[in-house]
Amino acid sequence: MKPAENGLSDHLTMRGLSRRFGSFTALDAVSLSIRKGEFVCLLGPSGCGKTTLLRLIAGLDLPDAGSIALQARDITRAAPAQRDYGIVFQSYALFPNLSVADNIAYGLKPRHERQRHRLRVRELLDMVGLPGAEDKYPAQLSGGQQQRVALARALATSPGLLLLDEPLSALDARVRDRLREELKGLQQRLGVTTLMVTHDQEEALAIADRVVVMNAGRIEQIGTPAEIYRQPCSRFVAEFVGEANWLPATTSGVQEVRVGNHQLRLDAALPPAPALQLFLRPEDVIIKPRWENAPNTVLARVDNISFGGALTRIRLLPEGMPGQVLYAEVCPGMLDRQPLVPGEIVPVELPAARLLAFAGDLPC
């Protein structure tokens, strides 16, 4: 069950946050609320403002306008030590001259309660999957192990808020995927409110309860991973998150468009513009076993087949749509049942329920 469905209160609230650096606006009146126990990802390209927002929340920088409240307490100008958070950086930021145990216990107080600290360190190392690593030093650990230590240190004081600044981006793909699953499982067990910055779409969609897509200092869309992927509310979100087919179209009816020689119907409403771009995910393109004179069905020539493991990518040249290309992604089971060869003509359905229309010309 999602935090929203539990009726939980807002844990962190930002209202009208702005930050400028000279003539450059890094954040432009950003407002966002995060519920207690929720895992939220800030997703966007470099320079979109996501790290600036994280720094404002952490007290590492101050806003030019707006406010930040943590559990209804105004922390906009509070010192970092007064904000009740733990933070993990991309670079791990471990002290190389301190042992793993001393790194983790660095923020624990009072300093003289060493036995209690040792027990807490042992508990945290068990939690992050590094039992018995107390006496090792950062240089003796792999990147994934160092990031586990950094996470344990961030959780040592049992903070109410966990901030993660691209914590997995410096790791290789296999370690990153494993740590991503472990991080999500740990967050769910502890119930700690978590805000993570990432530019990795797959990471955000896999790990977050909600995703906040940012662009040019503003929030483009907030939603569940499924909502962001399936129902992008802007052209930017549709282009930035995932792969897509784009087809130029013109309005020809209330929910009908024309693409080349073909009339297509959409379940979704059309924007009020004569020139449109149709959006369709490759996995939603349906290659049919036989021709049927059905709505939104066209003939296409199989141009190329690229094996990709779990999914095979098919490049299609639709007839009656000069110069256009469609990509379909299909599972191996479909190809076992319906083998395809380059040059073959196949019927293709563009489902009305999956088509979306955006105003304007071709995406960048």
Side-chain angles (χ1 to χ4, degrees), residues 39-256:
F39 197 128
V40 172
C41 278
L42 300 178
L43 174 66
S46 298
C48 72
K50 56 188 186 296
T51 296
T52 299
L53 180 56
L54 193 80
R55 288 177 56 81
L56 296 183
I57 295 167
L60 304 176
D61 194 7
L62 296 175
D64 295 306
S67 64
I68 306 169
L70 184 64
Q71 292 184 302
R73 179 172 66 92
D74 189 339
I75 61 166
T76 311
R77 303 282 164 179
Q82 299 173 335
R83 299 194 179 208
D84 184 32
Y85 70 84
I87 189 165
V88 179
F89 297 100
Q90 175 183 348
S91 60
Y92 320 139
L94 299 178
F95 298 109
N97 60 317
L98 297 183
S99 68
V100 165
D102 289 339
N103 264 285
I104 294 173
Y106 189 80
L108 293 176
K109 298 178 181 178
R111 298 281 186 181
H112 64 270
E113 293 189 6
R114 300 198 174 194
Q115 180 58 28
R116 187 173 66 84
H117 293 176
R118 276 196 292 268
L119 292 174
R120 178 60 173 158
V121 167
R122 189 177 303 160
E123 176 190 12
L124 288 162
L125 284 172
D126 287 343
M127 192 183 298
V128 299
L130 287 177
E134 291 93 334
D135 296 329
K136 292 184 177 181
Y137 284 81
Q140 297 173 292
L141 305 176
S142 68
Q145 289 171 329
Q146 289 187 56
Q147 199 60 294
R148 284 184 168 90
V149 174
L151 179 60
R153 182 178 62 184
L155 294 170
T157 59
S158 299
L161 177 65
L162 181 61
L163 303 177
L164 306 171
D165 187 8
E166 307 231 25
L168 308 179
S169 62
L171 305 174
D172 65 59
R174 189 177 294 275
V175 174
R176 184 169 63 243
D177 291 346
R178 185 169 66 250
L179 268 181
R180 184 172 67 198
E181 293 181 9
E182 293 177 8
L183 178 60
K184 179 61 175 177
L186 182 61
Q187 187 270 340
Q188 289 176 327
R189 289 198 304 276
L190 297 176
V192 60
T193 307
T194 302
L195 181 65
M196 184 170 86
V197 165
T198 183
H199 65 273
D200 188 320
Q201 308 161 29
E202 182 182 345
E203 188 170 276
L205 296 177
I207 204 170
D209 295 317
R210 284 192 301 159
V211 177
V212 179
V213 182
M214 298 187 66
N215 178 37
R218 297 180 179 181
I219 291 176
E220 288 275 343
Q221 185 174 355
I222 303 173
T224 66
E227 288 168 345
I228 295 293
Y229 187 79
R230 283 295 181 193
Q231 301 161 35
C233 71
S234 74
R235 178 75 166 273
F236 173 82
V237 176
E239 292 176 24
F240 184 73
V241 179
E243 298 292 329
N245 292 295
W246 292 93
L247 296 171
T250 54
T251 303
S252 60
V254 177
Q255 288 177 289
E256 293 185 340

Side-chain angles (χ1 to χ4, degrees), residues 316-338:
L316 299 162
L317 305 179
E319 296 187 350
M321 298 182 187
Q324 301 306 310
V325 175
L326 280 173
Y327 289 96
E329 289 183 347
V330 301
C331 64
M334 180 267 178
L335 290 177
D336 289 341
R337 296 187 301 271
Q338 184 185 345

Side-chain angles (χ1 to χ4, degrees), residues 250-258 262-264 270 276:
T250 54
T251 303
S252 60
V254 177
Q255 288 177 289
E256 293 185 340
V257 299
R258 191 157 195 87
H262 297 282
Q263 192 88 355
L264 301 177
L270 301 180
L276 305 172

Side-chain angles (χ1 to χ4, degrees), residues 344-364:
E344 182 180 0
I345 303 294
V346 294
V348 173
E349 181 184 355
L350 312 180
R354 295 301 188 192
L355 282 170
L356 295 177
F358 293 91
D361 299 323
L362 278 170
C364 299

